[in-house]
Amino acid sequence: MLSNHFQNGMETAKLVWSRLPNSEDGELDEVGISKKNDSSGVESLDYEVIENYAYREEQEKRGSLFVCYQVSLKWFLALMIGIGTGLAAIFINISVENFAGWKFALTFSIIQKSYFAGLLIYVLFNLALVFSSVYIVTHFAPAAAGSGIPEIKGYLNGIDVHGILLFRTLIGKIFGSIGSVGGGLALGKEGPLVHIGACIASLLGQGGSTKYHLSSRWLQGFNSDRDRRDLVTCGCAAGVAAAFRAPVGGVLFALEEVTSWWRSQLMWRVFFTSAVVAVVVRSAMAWCRSGKCGHFGAGGFIIWDISDGQEDYSFAELLPMAIIGVIGGLLGALFNQLTRYITYWRRNYLHKKGARVKIIEVCIISIITSAISFGLPLLRKCSPCPASEVECPNPPGMYGNYVNFYCRNENEYNDLATIFFNTQDDAIRNLFSAKTIHEFSAQSLLTFLIMFYTLAVVTFGTAVPAGQFVPGIMIGSTYGRLVGMFVVNFYKKPNIEEGTYALLGAASFLGGSMRVTVSLCVIMVEISNNLKFLPLIMLVLLISKAVGDAFNDGLYEEQARLKGIPLLESRPKYEMRQMTAKEGCRTRKVVSLPRIVKVSDVVSILRSNKHNGFPVIDHTRSGETLVIGLMLRSHLMVLLQSKLDFQHSSLPNDSRSGSLPIRHNNSEFIKPVSSKGLSFNDVHLSEDDLEMYIDLAPFLNPSPYIVPEDMSLTKVYNLFRNLGLRHILVVPRPSRVLGLITRKDLLIEDDDDHETELQSTSVRAQHRNGRSGSGSVDVEQPLLNGLLAQNNL
């Protein structure tokens, strides 16, 4: 009977394997259907408000009641983002802890009879969880692979990677994280939680998922990319707050690391969202302490309380602490470089062979990781339990130090198994623990450092949800505790704690790899629950970041570059100081459209190039060419699909007189989140349609940003990034000035002095005084406006 079951299982496995796409099928699309690679899947976002005719008509209809509704909806969505992200984090943590508890309990019970059988069960248990994770990613949600932070950082920087914020990505990220982390791989769930928070925020902002019939009309109040950006920022902060129980650190992480644009109103909502997450997580922890969450509850959420650790430190200890910062910068930069090479090889060679190869790769890494974490502690001799009040020994996989694994006597423990044959959260808690001097030997820490560092480098970039926060803390705390052991032996002071140096090592490695300083400093203080370590953490972070910057960029910047995400960093390149805006256009040919354009011409232009923006020109009665606005490709596709604005006449409509009927609302021109928008497959035109015309004036952006051709490219870069633009028109230097706006003109008040200032800089004042359009010199900050004759991108 057993052989029959085994044979049936093999047949089932072969059937499942045969259905996997092979190397000739190409990559998978967002729903798991095999297809050929045809595009990079990256598109810019429109954070600029397009004040066209439809937008202005929509704004005029909105009253004060609608404004109050929108403000209330923003705060309600911030509340829901916090609750949703907190619940997702609770579900992931409870699931991972319970899977780990069942795994270690089953393994520990079997190794009492046979260590080989225990190894087999341990490997198969991990392999099943990891296989479920990689299967979900490769067949259901390809965008759920990795941490997701480079993609979300790109989104907030103005780049939309298709599929990163979809509902299937959210589901794949949650269940994929449970499988990969519960399967014991050298990765964490904290990075994926940031992506999960962003997905929840995006889905709530668009009212849910229409594809899966999980939507609500009452929540569909924010359809623009600008509003979605604010919500996704709240989701990122909520993800960090949920991962580390660090609400202030979450706010600072969103401000420092992922966002390119910030304002005070958004700060309040982000802070409120993080506070909601903290309340939800703390309530869940209090509920789980009663034993209702299975194996979860004893270890709690990710917080490594070392408030009872080292009380004070001497000036002489600053030197070894600085050395920890240097080590963190060197190992962090090396980690970034190695993962960059391996990821490049994976993307260009290995992963191009199809989903089957991705599954094989992850399964092999899972088997190797399980064999190492189980087998290496068997080679280590056990040590006698210390004569202290600490409970010793403890069974594997349970919360506590001094794990008994392959020891002859009951009062012995295996120091390598304490950190290797354990969950990562409990291993870090053991490394951070105070009053446990000489618990770990230098040989065990060095062995663990080399093996786990190698596993983390190899695992990072595989086709599973993977974060780098916790593995980085594991690596840093290992060499930090190793340095702490030498400090204890050298200074011979009883108040020095090895756990303090482990905390500093964790901070140094994260700073050397991710190059995050302020937010990481606050996160480390919040998770350690000890404010006395703040100056020391600041010291090692500054040193590690300075050392790491001398070699390469941060981890997320390197990964974003490999994935083809064109991030605009906070500072422009030095070479841009010597370049002008005209030189920055790279002689790219500009394709412009007339105001009244034939439908066939629009189709021909859209098919012949991939530009997403087209300047619209018109001619005055004197024959002068004027730029009247900018038309987006996505808006043209909407007009072609609807056919509502086709006209037989080639004469323009007068949109200012109010006679033009409103056939579109502003939401129709908004591209759905994380989608490719309309394509020519959605447009069906007849021969008669192609002979008709479209007046583009009501739908174009009448006030695009324009810069003169000799403006420094550095100034253009700062303008482009700080305002979140998608296009800037480059024009020759204008010949006349219509007006001059100063700071005082932008302060709208009702006093007489301000009215006088406004009149003095207006066009009417110039005509009244009989001046030309030359303007006057003003010592305040001027903003030059005007209609320009030509343009060149």
Side-chain angles (χ1 to χ4, degrees):
M1 183 178 296
L2 182 61
S3 61
N4 292 335
H5 286 295
F6 180 77
Q7 185 176 2
N8 293 335
M10 291 297 296
E11 293 296 333
T12 304
K14 291 180 180 179
L15 179 61
V16 173
W17 185 259
S18 64
R19 293 179 179 178
L20 298 182
N22 55 32
S23 59
E24 298 177 356
D25 295 329
E27 293 292 322
L28 298 175
D29 65 3
E30 297 162 356
V31 294
I33 300 175
S34 178
K35 68 172 187 178
K36 298 291 183 181
N37 292 330
D38 55 357
S39 65
S40 60
V42 174
E43 184 179 352
S44 296
L45 294 167
D46 297 308
Y47 287 152
E48 180 185 0
V49 177
I50 301 177
E51 299 175 339
N52 54 21
Y53 181 76
Y55 173 81
R56 292 175 179 175
E57 288 292 329
E58 186 176 286
Q59 293 297 315
E60 290 178 359
K61 293 182 179 180
R62 294 178 176 179
S64 57
L65 184 61
F66 183 82
V67 174
C68 294
Y69 165 74
Q70 272 202 322
V71 173
S72 303
L73 183 59
K74 287 181 179 179
W75 286 97
F76 176 73
L77 289 178
L79 173 66
M80 296 302 297
I81 292 170
I83 295 176
T85 307
L87 293 177
I90 293 166
F91 176 72
I92 292 175
N93 276 274
I94 291 177
S95 301
V96 169
E97 291 292 328
N98 276 281
F99 276 123
W102 296 331
K103 175 179 61 180
F104 284 112
L106 179 61
T107 304
F108 186 67
S109 63
I110 294 178
I111 63 177
Q112 304 301 322
K113 302 177 182 179
S114 171
Y115 273 88
F116 179 78
L119 170 63
L120 185 62
I121 294 299
Y122 182 73
V123 171
L124 292 179
F125 202 111
N126 285 335
L127 183 61
L129 290 174
V130 171
F131 179 81
S132 67
S133 175
V134 67
Y135 191 88
I136 289 173
V137 170
T138 55
H139 287 74
F140 181 71
S147 68
I149 293 181
E151 290 83 355
I152 299 303
K153 185 175 181 179
Y155 183 89
L156 296 177
N157 194 258
I159 299 298
D160 186 13
V161 182
H162 300 312
I164 62 170
L165 297 175
L166 298 180
F167 180 73
R168 73 168 68 92
T169 303
L170 172 63
I171 299 301
K173 206 77 174 184
I174 292 176
F175 289 96
S177 299
I178 294 173
S180 61
V181 179
L185 293 179
L187 44 82
K189 54 185 176 295
E190 289 67 37
L193 271 175
V194 176
H195 193 179
I196 289 171
C199 290
I200 292 175
S202 177
L203 289 171
L204 288 174
Q206 62 181 351
S209 174
T210 56
K211 180 178 180 179
Y212 298 97
H213 306 288
L214 299 173
S215 60
S216 172
R217 291 179 53 192
W218 299 102
L219 298 178
Q220 297 175 357
F222 306 103
N223 294 319
S224 67
D225 292 333
R226 177 186 290 260
D227 293 329
R228 291 171 185 161
R229 174 184 61 184
D230 294 350
L231 294 175
V232 170
T233 304
C234 293
C236 290
V240 177
F244 296 101
R245 251 181 66 189
V248 180
V251 176
L252 293 177
F253 182 83
L255 172 61
E256 178 185 8
E257 181 63 17
V258 295
T259 59
S260 304
W261 184 84
W262 198 263
R263 56 193 175 95
S264 58
Q265 295 92 335
L266 180 60
M267 171 75 81
W268 280 106
R269 290 203 300 275
V270 171
F271 186 77
F272 173 71
T273 305
S274 299
V276 172
V277 172
V279 172
V280 172
V281 171
R282 183 169 292 274
S283 301
M285 288 185 62
W287 184 68
C288 287
R289 286 195 185 99
S290 61
K292 299 179 181 179
C293 300
H295 291 275
F296 182 83
F301 244 75
I302 296 178
I303 181 167
W304 303 291
D305 192 345
I306 52 176
S307 56
D308 59 343
Q310 187 170 335
E311 294 292 337
D312 199 4
Y313 49 91
S314 61
F315 181 78
E317 293 182 65
L318 295 181
L319 178 59
M321 292 176 181
I323 294 175
I324 289 178
V326 175
I327 296 174
L330 293 175
L331 291 182
L334 178 63
F335 184 89
N336 293 357
Q337 201 69 20
L338 292 176
T339 53
R340 176 186 177 185
Y341 290 147
I342 295 178
T343 303
Y344 178 82
W345 175 74
R346 277 196 180 106
R347 293 179 60 87
N348 291 277
Y349 300 100
L350 186 63
H351 286 180
K352 283 188 174 182
K353 298 180 179 179
R356 182 180 297 182
V357 175
K358 296 180 182 179
I359 295 176
I360 294 176
E361 177 196 21
V362 176
C363 290
I364 292 176
I365 293 176
S366 173
I367 295 174
I368 294 175
T369 303
S370 301
I372 290 176
S373 61
F374 189 97
L376 279 184
L378 298 177
L379 306 178
R380 179 65 185 167
K381 292 180 61 177
C382 293
S383 305
C385 290
S388 61
E389 297 180 358
V390 180
E391 182 181 356
C392 177
N394 290 298
M398 301 301 175
Y399 175 61
N401 300 70
Y402 306 105
V403 170
N404 183 288
F405 183 76
Y406 200 62
C407 297
R408 296 180 179 180
N409 300 324
E410 294 183 356
N411 60 340
E412 292 182 341
Y413 73 97
N414 190 318
D415 60 345
L416 190 56
T418 302
I419 51 178
F420 225 141
F421 194 63
N422 212 337
T423 62
Q424 293 184 16
D425 295 343
D426 289 342
I428 294 173
R429 192 175 289 108
N430 296 337
L431 290 169
F432 282 1
S433 61
K435 307 298 187 293
T436 57
I437 296 179
H438 306 304
E439 177 185 0
F440 304 100
S441 65
Q443 295 86 348
S444 295
L445 291 177
L446 190 60
T447 301
F448 177 79
L449 174 62
I450 296 174
M451 297 307 302
F452 193 85
Y453 190 94
T454 305
L455 290 175
V457 169
V458 174
T459 306
F460 188 81
T462 54
V464 292
Q468 194 51 39
F469 276 101
V470 167
I473 294 175
M474 288 274 288
I475 295 171
S477 58
T478 304
Y479 67 74
R481 183 141 188 150
L482 193 60
V483 174
M485 291 177 59
F486 289 104
V487 173
V488 170
N489 295 329
F490 182 80
Y491 289 103
K492 305 294 184 181
K493 293 183 179 180
N495 65 322
I496 299 178
E497 289 287 350
E498 297 174 2
T500 301
Y501 287 85
L503 174 68
L504 298 179
S508 69
F509 185 83
L510 293 179
S513 175
M514 300 180 183
R515 315 293 160 80
V516 186
T517 54
V518 179
S519 59
L520 182 59
C521 182
V522 175
I523 290 173
M524 297 304 293
V525 171
E526 287 185 284
I527 64 177
S528 63
N529 199 22
N530 196 329
L531 192 60
K532 297 179 181 179
F533 297 146
L534 179 61
L536 305 180
I537 296 174
M538 295 172 63
L539 173 66
V540 298
L541 281 175
L542 290 173
I543 295 175
S544 63
K545 184 180 185 302
V547 173
D549 286 338
F551 294 96
N552 49 35
D553 293 330
L555 178 66
Y556 299 135
E557 288 76 13
E558 293 282 359
Q559 294 299 315
R561 190 177 298 112
L562 286 174
K563 295 180 179 181
I565 302 175
L567 290 179
L568 293 180
E569 299 299 333
S570 58
R571 293 186 301 177
K573 299 296 182 181
Y574 180 81
E575 295 80 6
M576 292 185 178
R577 298 181 181 181
Q578 309 298 329
M579 299 177 63
T580 62
K582 183 178 181 179
E583 295 172 344
C585 295
R586 300 177 182 177
T587 65
R588 183 180 295 112
K589 183 179 179 180
V590 181
V591 180
S592 59
L593 296 172
R595 174 181 172 177
I596 309 298
V597 60
K598 199 172 183 180
V599 174
S600 59
D601 295 337
V602 175
V603 174
S604 175
I605 290 175
L606 293 180
R607 289 185 179 275
S608 61
N609 64 78
K610 296 183 179 181
H611 295 179
N612 288 297
F614 303 93
V616 180
I617 60 176
D618 199 3
H619 299 278
T620 62
R621 295 180 179 178
S622 60
E624 183 182 5
T625 303
L626 300 177
V627 179
I628 63 174
L630 183 70
M631 194 71 188
L632 297 179
R633 169 185 285 267
S634 59
H635 292 192
L636 290 172
M637 295 300 298
V638 172
L639 298 179
L640 293 178
Q641 184 197 38
S642 64
K643 306 181 185 180
L644 296 177
D645 299 280
F646 290 1
Q647 61 185 39
H648 295 281
S649 173
S650 61
L651 299 177
N653 292 314
D654 188 6
S655 59
R656 297 182 181 180
S657 63
S659 60
L660 183 66
I662 302 176
R663 301 186 181 95
H664 298 276
N665 55 47
N666 191 49
S667 60
E668 294 181 31
F669 295 100
I670 304 299
K671 183 177 72 71
V673 62
S674 291
S675 69
K676 299 181 180 180
L678 295 176
S679 64
F680 276 105
N681 295 329
D682 304 315
V683 178
H684 305 282
L685 300 174
S686 63
E687 293 294 334
D688 295 336
D689 295 333
L690 294 176
E691 298 298 323
M692 300 184 74
Y693 296 87
I694 306 176
D695 186 0
L696 301 180
F699 312 104
L700 55 81
N701 182 5
S703 54
Y705 286 87
I706 299 175
V707 298
E709 62 180 349
D710 56 352
M711 176 182 282
S712 168
L713 193 58
T714 300
K715 296 177 67 176
V716 177
Y717 184 97
N718 293 329
L719 178 69
F720 200 98
R721 185 183 187 276
N722 294 335
L723 296 180
L725 303 180
R726 188 176 186 181
H727 302 96
I728 290 183
L729 301 184
V730 181
V731 298
R733 179 161 293 279
S735 59
R736 62 193 182 97
V737 178
L738 296 183
L740 188 68
I741 295 179
T742 64
R743 181 184 298 271
K744 197 170 184 180
D745 296 325
L746 301 177
L747 303 176
I748 305 299
E749 298 176 0
D750 295 331
D751 56 318
D752 297 336
D753 295 339
H754 184 67
E755 292 293 333
T756 303
E757 175 68 19
L758 284 176
Q759 292 179 3
S760 66
T761 59
S762 64
V763 179
R764 290 175 295 179
Q766 294 179 10
H767 288 296
R768 188 182 302 115
N769 296 330
R771 303 180 191 171
S772 64
S774 59
S776 58
V777 178
D778 198 304
V779 296
E780 299 183 6
Q781 300 175 4
L783 178 62
L784 196 62
N785 293 314
L787 294 177
L788 308 174
Q790 296 178 358
N791 64 343
N792 178 27
L793 282 176

